Amino acid sequence: MAQRNGGAPTRRRPSALSVSALLVGALATVTACGADTKSGAPAPPGSADAPSSAAASAPRHPTTPPGGGRDDKAAPASTDRAATKAPKAAEPSVATEAASAAAPAARRICSKDQLKLSTGRADIGAGNVYVPLAFTNTGDASCTLTGFPGVSLLDGPGTAIGEPAKRRGPAGPTVVLKPGGSAYASLHTLNKGVSDKPCWRTASEIRVYPPDSYRSMKTSARSFQVCGGVFEVTAVEPGSRP
């Protein structure tokens, strides 16, 4: 505009067109901001963006499996180690070795087939009668006899006389018979006339079961007769007679 009479210049007033343009620009800016705000809103549940949010909020470490605090895959490893480790064999102690060394060897019992039975001479004295029964080893190997033989008397036809002999005294130790060696057991009865009890019939044979044997042997009785109701046998001892 032209200056009036050479005075200070006057300001121009904005035209209506300029003001309108400014308002339109401001309104466009506000509209754009509103659109950006709506586009940044969280996605509704079930949308494609929901899994990423859930994954972001998930804990970094896995939760403890139900029913235990250890990983199930680690259990077989410890089991395999336990199965692989073989148990250490127990070493024999000194006492065990000593007991094994001191254990006696199994004894070989004398059988009927390797024994010879014989009757010794009677020993009569002080109203008693003792008759030795001798067992002799006729085999090639040593054998043993332990304890009492079973003894009974037989008459001529082979019928038993009275009762079998009763055991007299202790059993005694085991007797080892080397080839040709002997052991004996003593028969005991009373002399005739010592007791009022009648005597048995005179025996023809003596039937004997060696100790630990179920097979009998026979030998001559040498007219042995039981009197006074006493008929006893002792355990075997080394030797052929007392």
Side-chain angles (χ1 to χ4, degrees), residues 11-222:
R11 298 179 178 177
R12 292 181 181 181
R13 293 182 179 180
S15 63
L17 182 59
S18 300
V19 173
S20 299
L22 291 173
L23 291 175
V24 171
L27 181 59
T29 302
V30 172
T31 304
C33 291
D36 293 340
T37 304
K38 291 181 179 179
S39 62
S47 64
D49 293 338
S52 61
S53 301
S57 62
R60 294 182 180 180
H61 302 286
T63 58
T64 302
R70 295 181 296 180
D71 190 358
D72 292 342
K73 295 182 179 180
S78 60
T79 305
D80 294 341
R81 287 196 297 269
T84 304
K85 187 177 179 181
K88 184 178 180 181
E91 297 181 357
S93 63
V94 177
T96 303
E97 293 177 354
S100 299
R107 61 189 182 95
R108 179 178 179 180
I109 299 173
C110 297
S111 67
K112 171 187 174 182
D113 297 333
Q114 65 184 122
L115 289 176
K116 176 184 177 181
L117 179 64
S118 59
T119 306
R121 187 175 61 181
D123 182 9
I124 303 172
N128 295 286
V129 178
Y130 295 94
V131 175
L133 290 175
F135 302 91
T136 302
N137 182 5
T138 61
D140 298 330
S142 297
C143 60
T144 62
L145 293 175
T146 306
F148 300 87
V151 181
S152 58
L153 302 178
L154 303 176
D155 59 15
T159 305
I161 301 173
E163 299 294 329
K166 296 181 180 180
R167 295 178 177 182
R168 174 187 174 94
T174 296
V175 179
V176 179
L177 296 183
K178 295 181 179 180
S182 298
Y184 74 94
S186 293
L187 299 181
H188 173 239
T189 189
L190 299 181
N191 202 356
K192 186 182 295 186
V194 173
S195 173
D196 295 336
K197 292 184 178 181
C199 297
W200 296 356
R201 301 190 311 274
T202 301
S204 297
E205 291 183 311
I206 301 175
R207 181 171 59 193
V208 180
Y209 290 87
D212 299 321
S213 177
Y214 293 96
R215 300 173 63 190
S216 65
M217 308 173 66
K218 295 179 182 179
T219 186
S220 173
R222 291 193 175 185

